[in-house]
Amino acid sequence: MLGYVSLSEGGLEDDVLTAHVTFCSDHPNLPRYVDDVDAYTHEALLEISQEDAPALLPQ
């Protein structure tokens, strides 16, 4: 399971912040939602994997 959080500017004068959350999973024979998060330049993008969750959640 993967979660993606994106943040971008919008509105008529790029003065409105817009955020989206997308959940998906990897399938061996299908393309990934984003191939290379570090090379993605369309908006700010954070990828959170199921393995990342324990470190992000309080104990």
Side-chain angles (χ1 to χ4, degrees):
M1 177 61 82
L2 296 168
Y4 292 91
V5 180
S6 63
L7 181 64
S8 60
E9 295 177 328
L12 297 176
E13 298 181 24
D14 282 340
D15 57 350
V16 177
L17 288 177
T18 302
H20 294 278
V21 177
T22 302
F23 296 98
C24 61
S25 58
D26 274 338
H27 294 279
N29 298 324
L30 296 175
R32 291 182 54 117
Y33 183 73
V34 175
D35 285 326
D36 185 358
V37 174
D38 294 328
Y40 189 81
T41 60
H42 302 288
E43 58 196 348
L45 184 66
L46 172 66
E47 177 186 82
I48 304 169
S49 70
Q50 187 173 355
E51 291 78 22
D52 295 329
L56 299 171
L57 299 173
Q59 298 295 325

CSV table of all heavy atoms in Angstrom, one decimal:
chain,number,residue,atom,x,y,z
A,1,MET,N,0.9,-1.2,0.0
A,1,MET,CA,0.0,0.0,0.0
A,1,MET,C,0.9,1.2,0.0
A,1,MET,O,1.8,1.3,0.8
A,1,MET,CB,-0.9,0.0,1.2
A,1,MET,CG,-1.8,1.2,1.4
A,1,MET,SD,-2.9,1.4,0.0
A,1,MET,CE,-4.2,0.4,0.5
A,2,LEU,N,0.6,2.2,-0.9
A,2,LEU,CA,1.3,3.4,-0.9
A,2,LEU,C,0.3,4.6,-0.8
A,2,LEU,O,-0.8,4.5,-1.3
A,2,LEU,CB,2.0,3.6,-2.3
A,2,LEU,CG,3.1,2.6,-2.6
A,2,LEU,CD1,3.5,2.7,-4.0
A,2,LEU,CD2,4.3,2.9,-1.7
A,3,GLY,N,0.8,5.7,-0.2
A,3,GLY,CA,0.0,6.9,-0.1
A,3,GLY,C,0.8,8.0,-0.7
A,3,GLY,O,2.0,8.1,-0.5
A,4,TYR,N,0.2,8.9,-1.5
A,4,TYR,CA,0.8,10.0,-2.1
A,4,TYR,C,0.1,11.3,-1.6
A,4,TYR,O,-1.1,11.4,-1.7
A,4,TYR,CB,0.8,10.0,-3.6
A,4,TYR,CG,1.6,8.9,-4.2
A,4,TYR,CD1,1.1,7.6,-4.4
A,4,TYR,CD2,3.0,9.1,-4.5
A,4,TYR,CE1,1.9,6.6,-5.0
A,4,TYR,CE2,3.8,8.1,-5.0
A,4,TYR,CZ,3.2,6.8,-5.2
A,4,TYR,OH,4.0,5.8,-5.7
A,5,VAL,N,0.8,12.2,-1.1
A,5,VAL,CA,0.3,13.5,-0.8
A,5,VAL,C,0.9,14.6,-1.7
A,5,VAL,O,2.1,14.7,-1.7
A,5,VAL,CB,0.6,13.9,0.7
A,5,VAL,CG1,0.0,15.2,1.1
A,5,VAL,CG2,0.1,12.8,1.7
A,6,SER,N,0.1,15.3,-2.4
A,6,SER,CA,0.6,16.3,-3.3
A,6,SER,C,0.1,17.7,-2.9
A,6,SER,O,-1.0,17.8,-2.3
A,6,SER,CB,0.1,16.0,-4.8
A,6,SER,OG,-1.3,16.1,-4.9
A,7,LEU,N,0.9,18.7,-3.1
A,7,LEU,CA,0.6,20.1,-2.8
A,7,LEU,C,1.0,20.9,-3.9
A,7,LEU,O,2.1,20.9,-4.4
A,7,LEU,CB,1.4,20.5,-1.5
A,7,LEU,CG,1.2,21.9,-1.0
A,7,LEU,CD1,-0.3,22.0,-0.5
A,7,LEU,CD2,2.1,22.1,0.2
A,8,SER,N,0.1,21.8,-4.4
A,8,SER,CA,0.4,22.7,-5.5
A,8,SER,C,-0.3,24.0,-5.4
A,8,SER,O,-1.3,24.1,-4.6
A,8,SER,CB,0.0,22.0,-6.9
A,8,SER,OG,-1.4,21.7,-6.9
A,9,GLU,N,0.1,24.9,-6.1
A,9,GLU,CA,-0.5,26.3,-6.1
A,9,GLU,C,-1.5,26.3,-7.3
A,9,GLU,O,-1.3,25.7,-8.3
A,9,GLU,CB,0.5,27.4,-6.3
A,9,GLU,CG,1.5,27.5,-5.2
A,9,GLU,CD,2.5,28.5,-5.4
A,9,GLU,OE1,2.9,28.7,-6.6
A,9,GLU,OE2,3.0,29.1,-4.4
A,10,GLY,N,-2.6,27.0,-7.1
A,10,GLY,CA,-3.6,27.1,-8.1
A,10,GLY,C,-4.3,28.5,-8.0
A,10,GLY,O,-3.8,29.4,-7.4
A,11,GLY,N,-5.5,28.5,-8.6
A,11,GLY,CA,-6.2,29.8,-8.6
A,11,GLY,C,-5.8,30.7,-9.7
A,11,GLY,O,-4.8,30.3,-10.5
A,12,LEU,N,-6.4,31.8,-9.9
A,12,LEU,CA,-6.1,32.7,-11.0
A,12,LEU,C,-4.7,33.3,-11.0
A,12,LEU,O,-4.1,33.5,-12.0
A,12,LEU,CB,-7.1,33.8,-11.2
A,12,LEU,CG,-8.6,33.3,-11.5
A,12,LEU,CD1,-9.5,34.5,-11.4
A,12,LEU,CD2,-8.6,32.6,-12.8
A,13,GLU,N,-4.2,33.4,-9.7
A,13,GLU,CA,-2.9,34.1,-9.6
A,13,GLU,C,-2.0,33.2,-8.8
A,13,GLU,O,-1.0,33.7,-8.1
A,13,GLU,CB,-3.1,35.4,-8.9
A,13,GLU,CG,-3.9,36.4,-9.7
A,13,GLU,CD,-4.0,37.7,-9.0
A,13,GLU,OE1,-3.2,38.1,-8.2
A,13,GLU,OE2,-5.0,38.4,-9.4
A,14,ASP,N,-2.2,31.9,-8.8
A,14,ASP,CA,-1.4,30.9,-8.1
A,14,ASP,C,-1.3,31.3,-6.6
A,14,ASP,O,-0.3,31.2,-5.9
A,14,ASP,CB,0.0,30.7,-8.6
A,14,ASP,CG,0.1,29.9,-9.9
A,14,ASP,OD1,-0.9,29.1,-10.1
A,14,ASP,OD2,1.0,30.0,-10.6
A,15,ASP,N,-2.4,31.7,-6.0
A,15,ASP,CA,-2.5,32.2,-4.7
A,15,ASP,C,-3.3,31.2,-3.8
A,15,ASP,O,-3.6,31.6,-2.6
A,15,ASP,CB,-3.0,33.6,-4.6
A,15,ASP,CG,-4.4,33.7,-5.2
A,15,ASP,OD1,-4.9,32.8,-5.8
A,15,ASP,OD2,-5.0,34.8,-5.0
A,16,VAL,N,-3.7,30.1,-4.3
A,16,VAL,CA,-4.4,29.1,-3.5
A,16,VAL,C,-3.7,27.8,-3.5
A,16,VAL,O,-3.2,27.3,-4.5
A,16,VAL,CB,-5.8,28.9,-4.2
A,16,VAL,CG1,-6.6,27.8,-3.4
A,16,VAL,CG2,-6.6,30.2,-4.3
A,17,LEU,N,-3.5,27.2,-2.3
A,17,LEU,CA,-2.8,25.9,-2.2
A,17,LEU,C,-3.9,24.8,-2.3
A,17,LEU,O,-5.0,24.9,-1.7
A,17,LEU,CB,-2.1,25.8,-0.8
A,17,LEU,CG,-0.9,26.6,-0.6
A,17,LEU,CD1,-0.3,26.4,0.8
A,17,LEU,CD2,0.2,26.2,-1.7
A,18,THR,N,-3.5,23.8,-3.0
A,18,THR,CA,-4.4,22.7,-3.2
A,18,THR,C,-3.6,21.4,-2.8
A,18,THR,O,-2.5,21.3,-3.2
A,18,THR,CB,-4.8,22.5,-4.7
A,18,THR,OG1,-5.5,23.7,-5.1
A,18,THR,CG2,-5.8,21.4,-4.9
A,19,ALA,N,-4.3,20.5,-2.1
A,19,ALA,CA,-3.6,19.3,-1.7
A,19,ALA,C,-4.5,18.1,-2.1
A,19,ALA,O,-5.8,18.2,-2.1
A,19,ALA,CB,-3.4,19.3,-0.2
A,20,HIS,N,-3.9,17.0,-2.4
A,20,HIS,CA,-4.6,15.8,-2.8
A,20,HIS,C,-3.9,14.6,-2.1
A,20,HIS,O,-2.7,14.6,-1.9
A,20,HIS,CB,-4.6,15.5,-4.3
A,20,HIS,CG,-5.4,16.6,-5.0
A,20,HIS,ND1,-6.8,16.5,-5.2
A,20,HIS,CD2,-5.0,17.7,-5.7
A,20,HIS,CE1,-7.1,17.5,-5.9
A,20,HIS,NE2,-6.1,18.3,-6.2
A,21,VAL,N,-4.7,13.6,-1.7
A,21,VAL,CA,-4.2,12.4,-1.2
A,21,VAL,C,-4.7,11.2,-2.1
A,21,VAL,O,-5.9,11.2,-2.4
A,21,VAL,CB,-4.7,12.1,0.3
A,21,VAL,CG1,-4.2,10.8,0.8
A,21,VAL,CG2,-4.2,13.3,1.2
A,22,THR,N,-3.7,10.4,-2.5
A,22,THR,CA,-4.1,9.2,-3.3
A,22,THR,C,-3.5,8.0,-2.7
A,22,THR,O,-2.3,8.0,-2.3
A,22,THR,CB,-3.4,9.4,-4.7
A,22,THR,OG1,-3.9,10.6,-5.3
A,22,THR,CG2,-3.8,8.3,-5.7
A,23,PHE,N,-4.3,6.9,-2.7
A,23,PHE,CA,-3.8,5.6,-2.2
A,23,PHE,C,-3.8,4.6,-3.3
A,23,PHE,O,-4.7,4.6,-4.1
A,23,PHE,CB,-4.7,5.1,-1.1
A,23,PHE,CG,-4.7,6.0,0.2
A,23,PHE,CD1,-5.7,6.9,0.4
A,23,PHE,CD2,-3.7,5.9,1.1
A,23,PHE,CE1,-5.7,7.8,1.5
A,23,PHE,CE2,-3.7,6.7,2.2
A,23,PHE,CZ,-4.6,7.6,2.4
A,24,CYS,N,-2.8,3.8,-3.4
A,24,CYS,CA,-2.7,2.8,-4.4
A,24,CYS,C,-1.8,1.7,-4.0
A,24,CYS,O,-1.2,1.7,-2.9
A,24,CYS,CB,-2.2,3.4,-5.7
A,24,CYS,SG,-0.6,4.1,-5.7
A,25,SER,N,-1.7,0.6,-4.8
A,25,SER,CA,-0.7,-0.4,-4.5
A,25,SER,C,0.1,-0.8,-5.7
A,25,SER,O,-0.3,-0.4,-6.8
A,25,SER,CB,-1.5,-1.7,-3.9
A,25,SER,OG,-2.4,-2.1,-4.9
A,26,ASP,N,1.2,-1.4,-5.5
A,26,ASP,CA,2.1,-1.8,-6.6
A,26,ASP,C,1.6,-3.1,-7.2
A,26,ASP,O,1.3,-4.0,-6.4
A,26,ASP,CB,3.5,-1.9,-6.2
A,26,ASP,CG,4.3,-0.6,-6.3
A,26,ASP,OD1,3.8,0.3,-7.0
A,26,ASP,OD2,5.3,-0.5,-5.6
A,27,HIS,N,1.5,-3.2,-8.5
A,27,HIS,CA,1.2,-4.5,-9.2
A,27,HIS,C,2.4,-4.7,-10.2
A,27,HIS,O,2.7,-3.8,-10.9
A,27,HIS,CB,-0.1,-4.4,-9.9
A,27,HIS,CG,-1.3,-4.2,-9.0
A,27,HIS,ND1,-1.8,-5.3,-8.3
A,27,HIS,CD2,-2.0,-3.1,-8.6
A,27,HIS,CE1,-2.8,-4.9,-7.5
A,27,HIS,NE2,-2.9,-3.6,-7.7
A,28,PRO,N,2.9,-5.9,-10.1
A,28,PRO,CA,4.1,-6.2,-11.0
A,28,PRO,C,4.0,-5.9,-12.4
A,28,PRO,O,4.9,-5.5,-13.1
A,28,PRO,CB,4.3,-7.7,-10.7
A,28,PRO,CG,3.6,-8.1,-9.5
A,28,PRO,CD,2.5,-7.1,-9.4
A,29,ASN,N,2.8,-6.1,-13.0
A,29,ASN,CA,2.7,-5.9,-14.5
A,29,ASN,C,2.0,-4.6,-14.9
A,29,ASN,O,1.7,-4.4,-16.0
A,29,ASN,CB,1.9,-7.1,-15.1
A,29,ASN,CG,2.6,-8.4,-14.9
A,29,ASN,OD1,3.8,-8.5,-14.9
A,29,ASN,ND2,1.8,-9.4,-14.6
A,30,LEU,N,1.9,-3.7,-13.9
A,30,LEU,CA,1.3,-2.4,-14.2
A,30,LEU,C,2.2,-1.3,-13.9
A,30,LEU,O,3.1,-1.4,-13.0
A,30,LEU,CB,0.0,-2.2,-13.4
A,30,LEU,CG,-1.2,-3.2,-13.7
A,30,LEU,CD1,-2.3,-3.0,-12.7
A,30,LEU,CD2,-1.7,-3.0,-15.1
A,31,PRO,N,2.1,-0.1,-14.6
A,31,PRO,CA,3.0,1.0,-14.3
A,31,PRO,C,2.7,1.6,-12.9
A,31,PRO,O,1.6,1.5,-12.4
A,31,PRO,CB,2.7,2.0,-15.3
A,31,PRO,CG,1.5,1.6,-16.0
A,31,PRO,CD,1.3,0.2,-15.7
A,32,ARG,N,3.8,2.1,-12.3
A,32,ARG,CA,3.6,2.7,-10.9
A,32,ARG,C,2.9,4.1,-11.1
A,32,ARG,O,2.8,4.7,-12.1
A,32,ARG,CB,5.0,3.0,-10.3
A,32,ARG,CG,5.7,1.7,-9.9
A,32,ARG,CD,7.0,2.1,-9.2
A,32,ARG,NE,6.7,3.0,-8.1
A,32,ARG,CZ,7.0,2.8,-6.9
A,32,ARG,NH1,7.5,1.7,-6.5
A,32,ARG,NH2,6.7,3.7,-5.9
A,33,TYR,N,2.3,4.5,-10.0
A,33,TYR,CA,1.6,5.8,-10.0
A,33,TYR,C,2.6,6.9,-10.4
A,33,TYR,O,2.3,7.8,-11.2
A,33,TYR,CB,1.0,6.1,-8.6
A,33,TYR,CG,0.2,7.3,-8.5
A,33,TYR,CD1,-1.1,7.4,-9.1
A,33,TYR,CD2,0.7,8.4,-7.8
A,33,TYR,CE1,-1.8,8.6,-9.0
A,33,TYR,CE2,-0.1,9.6,-7.7
A,33,TYR,CZ,-1.3,9.7,-8.3
A,33,TYR,OH,-2.0,10.9,-8.2
A,34,VAL,N,3.8,6.9,-9.8
A,34,VAL,CA,4.9,7.8,-10.1
A,34,VAL,C,6.1,7.0,-10.2
A,34,VAL,O,6.5,6.3,-9.2
A,34,VAL,CB,5.0,8.9,-9.0
A,34,VAL,CG1,6.3,9.8,-9.3
A,34,VAL,CG2,3.8,9.8,-8.9
A,35,ASP,N,6.8,7.0,-11.3
A,35,ASP,CA,8.1,6.2,-11.5
A,35,ASP,C,9.2,6.7,-10.5
A,35,ASP,O,9.8,5.9,-9.9
A,35,ASP,CB,8.6,6.3,-12.9
A,35,ASP,CG,7.7,5.5,-13.9
A,35,ASP,OD1,7.2,4.4,-13.4
A,35,ASP,OD2,7.5,5.9,-15.0
A,36,ASP,N,9.5,8.0,-10.5
A,36,ASP,CA,10.6,8.5,-9.7
A,36,ASP,C,10.1,9.7,-9.0
A,36,ASP,O,10.0,10.8,-9.5
A,36,ASP,CB,11.8,8.8,-10.6
A,36,ASP,CG,13.0,9.2,-9.9
A,36,ASP,OD1,13.0,9.3,-8.6
A,36,ASP,OD2,14.0,9.5,-10.5
A,37,VAL,N,9.8,9.6,-7.7
A,37,VAL,CA,9.3,10.7,-6.9
A,37,VAL,C,10.3,11.9,-6.9
A,37,VAL,O,9.9,13.0,-6.9
A,37,VAL,CB,9.0,10.2,-5.5
A,37,VAL,CG1,8.6,11.4,-4.6
A,37,VAL,CG2,7.9,9.2,-5.5
A,38,ASP,N,11.6,11.6,-6.8
A,38,ASP,CA,12.6,12.6,-6.7
A,38,ASP,C,12.7,13.4,-8.0
A,38,ASP,O,13.1,14.6,-8.0
A,38,ASP,CB,14.0,12.0,-6.4
A,38,ASP,CG,14.0,11.4,-5.0
A,38,ASP,OD1,13.3,12.0,-4.1
A,38,ASP,OD2,14.7,10.5,-4.8
A,39,ALA,N,12.3,12.8,-9.1
A,39,ALA,CA,12.4,13.5,-10.4
A,39,ALA,C,11.0,14.2,-10.8
A,39,ALA,O,10.9,14.9,-11.8
A,39,ALA,CB,12.8,12.6,-11.5
A,40,TYR,N,10.0,14.0,-10.0
A,40,TYR,CA,8.7,14.5,-10.2
A,40,TYR,C,8.7,16.0,-10.0
A,40,TYR,O,9.0,16.5,-8.9
A,40,TYR,CB,7.7,13.8,-9.3
A,40,TYR,CG,6.2,14.2,-9.6
A,40,TYR,CD1,5.6,13.5,-10.7
A,40,TYR,CD2,5.6,15.1,-8.9
A,40,TYR,CE1,4.3,13.8,-10.9
A,40,TYR,CE2,4.2,15.4,-9.2
A,40,TYR,CZ,3.6,14.7,-10.2
A,40,TYR,OH,2.3,15.0,-10.5
A,41,THR,N,8.4,16.9,-11.0
A,41,THR,CA,8.5,18.3,-10.8
A,41,THR,C,7.1,19.1,-11.0
A,41,THR,O,7.1,20.3,-11.0
A,41,THR,CB,9.5,18.9,-11.8
A,41,THR,OG1,9.0,18.5,-13.2
A,41,THR,CG2,10.9,18.3,-11.6
A,42,HIS,N,6.0,18.3,-11.2
A,42,HIS,CA,4.8,19.0,-11.4
A,42,HIS,C,4.2,19.7,-10.2
A,42,HIS,O,3.5,20.7,-10.3
A,42,HIS,CB,3.7,18.0,-12.0
A,42,HIS,CG,4.2,17.3,-13.2
A,42,HIS,ND1,4.2,17.9,-14.4
A,42,HIS,CD2,4.6,16.1,-13.4
A,42,HIS,CE1,4.7,17.1,-15.3
A,42,HIS,NE2,4.9,16.0,-14.7
A,43,GLU,N,4.5,19.2,-9.0
A,43,GLU,CA,4.0,19.7,-7.7
A,43,GLU,C,4.8,19.0,-6.6
A,43,GLU,O,5.6,18.1,-6.9
A,43,GLU,CB,2.5,19.5,-7.6
A,43,GLU,CG,2.2,18.0,-7.6
A,43,GLU,CD,0.7,17.8,-7.8
A,43,GLU,OE1,-0.1,18.7,-7.7
A,43,GLU,OE2,0.3,16.6,-8.1
A,44,ALA,N,4.7,19.5,-5.4
A,44,ALA,CA,5.3,18.9,-4.3
A,44,ALA,C,4.6,17.5,-4.1
A,44,ALA,O,3.4,17.5,-4.1
A,44,ALA,CB,5.2,19.7,-3.0
A,45,LEU,N,5.4,16.5,-3.9
A,45,LEU,CA,4.8,15.1,-3.8
A,45,LEU,C,5.6,14.3,-2.7
A,45,LEU,O,6.8,14.3,-2.7
A,45,LEU,CB,4.9,14.4,-5.1
A,45,LEU,CG,4.3,13.1,-5.2
A,45,LEU,CD1,2.7,13.2,-5.0
A,45,LEU,CD2,4.6,12.4,-6.5
A,46,LEU,N,4.8,13.7,-1.8
A,46,LEU,CA,5.4,12.9,-0.8
A,46,LEU,C,4.8,11.5,-1.0
A,46,LEU,O,3.6,11.3,-1.1
A,46,LEU,CB,5.0,13.4,0.6
A,46,LEU,CG,5.3,12.5,1.8
A,46,LEU,CD1,6.8,12.4,2.0
A,46,LEU,CD2,4.7,13.1,3.0
A,47,GLU,N,5.7,10.5,-1.0
A,47,GLU,CA,5.2,9.1,-1.1
A,47,GLU,C,5.4,8.4,0.3
A,47,GLU,O,6.5,8.5,0.8
A,47,GLU,CB,6.0,8.3,-2.1
A,47,GLU,CG,5.7,6.9,-2.2
A,47,GLU,CD,6.6,6.1,-3.2
A,47,GLU,OE1,7.7,5.8,-2.8
A,47,GLU,OE2,6.2,5.9,-4.3
A,48,ILE,N,4.4,7.8,0.8
A,48,ILE,CA,4.5,7.1,2.1
A,48,ILE,C,4.1,5.7,1.8
A,48,ILE,O,3.0,5.4,1.3
A,48,ILE,CB,3.5,7.7,3.1
A,48,ILE,CG1,3.8,9.2,3.3
A,48,ILE,CG2,3.6,7.0,4.5
A,48,ILE,CD1,2.8,10.0,4.1
A,49,SER,N,5.0,4.8,2.2
A,49,SER,CA,4.7,3.3,2.0
A,49,SER,C,4.2,2.7,3.3
A,49,SER,O,4.3,3.3,4.4
A,49,SER,CB,6.0,2.6,1.6
A,49,SER,OG,6.9,2.5,2.6
A,50,GLN,N,3.7,1.6,3.2
A,50,GLN,CA,3.2,0.8,4.4
A,50,GLN,C,4.4,0.6,5.4
A,50,GLN,O,4.2,0.7,6.6
A,50,GLN,CB,2.6,-0.5,4.0
A,50,GLN,CG,1.9,-1.3,5.1
A,50,GLN,CD,1.2,-2.5,4.5
A,50,GLN,OE1,1.1,-2.7,3.3
A,50,GLN,NE2,0.7,-3.3,5.4
A,51,GLU,N,5.6,0.4,4.9
A,51,GLU,CA,6.8,0.2,5.7
A,51,GLU,C,7.2,1.5,6.4
A,51,GLU,O,7.8,1.5,7.5
A,51,GLU,CB,7.9,-0.3,4.9
A,51,GLU,CG,7.8,-1.7,4.4
A,51,GLU,CD,6.8,-1.8,3.2
A,51,GLU,OE1,6.7,-0.8,2.4
A,51,GLU,OE2,6.3,-2.9,2.9
A,52,ASP,N,6.8,2.7,5.9
A,52,ASP,CA,7.1,4.0,6.5
A,52,ASP,C,6.2,4.3,7.7
A,52,ASP,O,6.6,5.0,8.6
A,52,ASP,CB,7.0,5.1,5.5
A,52,ASP,CG,8.0,5.1,4.4
A,52,ASP,OD1,9.1,4.6,4.6
A,52,ASP,OD2,7.6,5.5,3.3
A,53,ALA,N,5.0,3.7,7.7
A,53,ALA,CA,4.0,4.1,8.7
A,53,ALA,C,4.4,3.9,10.2
A,53,ALA,O,4.2,4.8,11.0
A,53,ALA,CB,2.7,3.3,8.4
A,54,PRO,N,5.1,2.8,10.6
A,54,PRO,CA,5.5,2.7,12.0
A,54,PRO,C,6.4,3.9,12.5
A,54,PRO,O,6.2,4.3,13.6
A,54,PRO,CB,6.2,1.4,12.1
A,54,PRO,CG,5.6,0.6,11.0
A,54,PRO,CD,5.4,1.6,9.9
A,55,ALA,N,7.2,4.3,11.7
A,55,ALA,CA,8.2,5.4,12.1
A,55,ALA,C,7.4,6.8,12.2
A,55,ALA,O,7.9,7.7,12.9
A,55,ALA,CB,9.3,5.5,11.1
A,56,LEU,N,6.3,6.9,11.4
A,56,LEU,CA,5.6,8.2,11.4
A,56,LEU,C,4.5,8.3,12.5
A,56,LEU,O,4.1,9.3,12.8
A,56,LEU,CB,4.9,8.4,10.1
A,56,LEU,CG,5.9,8.5,8.9
A,56,LEU,CD1,5.1,8.4,7.6
A,56,LEU,CD2,6.7,9.7,8.9
A,57,LEU,N,4.1,7.1,13.0
A,57,LEU,CA,3.0,7.1,14.0
A,57,LEU,C,3.6,7.1,15.4
A,57,LEU,O,4.6,6.4,15.7
A,57,LEU,CB,2.1,5.8,13.8
A,57,LEU,CG,1.4,5.8,12.5
A,57,LEU,CD1,0.8,4.4,12.3
A,57,LEU,CD2,0.4,6.9,12.3
A,58,PRO,N,2.9,7.8,16.4
A,58,PRO,CA,3.4,7.8,17.7
A,58,PRO,C,3.3,6.4,18.4
A,58,PRO,O,2.4,5.6,18.1
A,58,PRO,CB,2.5,8.8,18.4
A,58,PRO,CG,1.3,9.0,17.6
A,58,PRO,CD,1.7,8.6,16.2
A,59,GLN,N,4.2,6.1,19.2
A,59,GLN,CA,4.2,4.8,19.9
A,59,GLN,C,3.3,4.7,21.0
A,59,GLN,O,3.1,5.5,21.8
A,59,GLN,CB,5.7,4.4,20.4
A,59,GLN,CG,6.6,4.3,19.2
A,59,GLN,CD,6.3,3.2,18.3
A,59,GLN,OE1,5.9,2.1,18.7
A,59,GLN,NE2,6.5,3.4,17.0
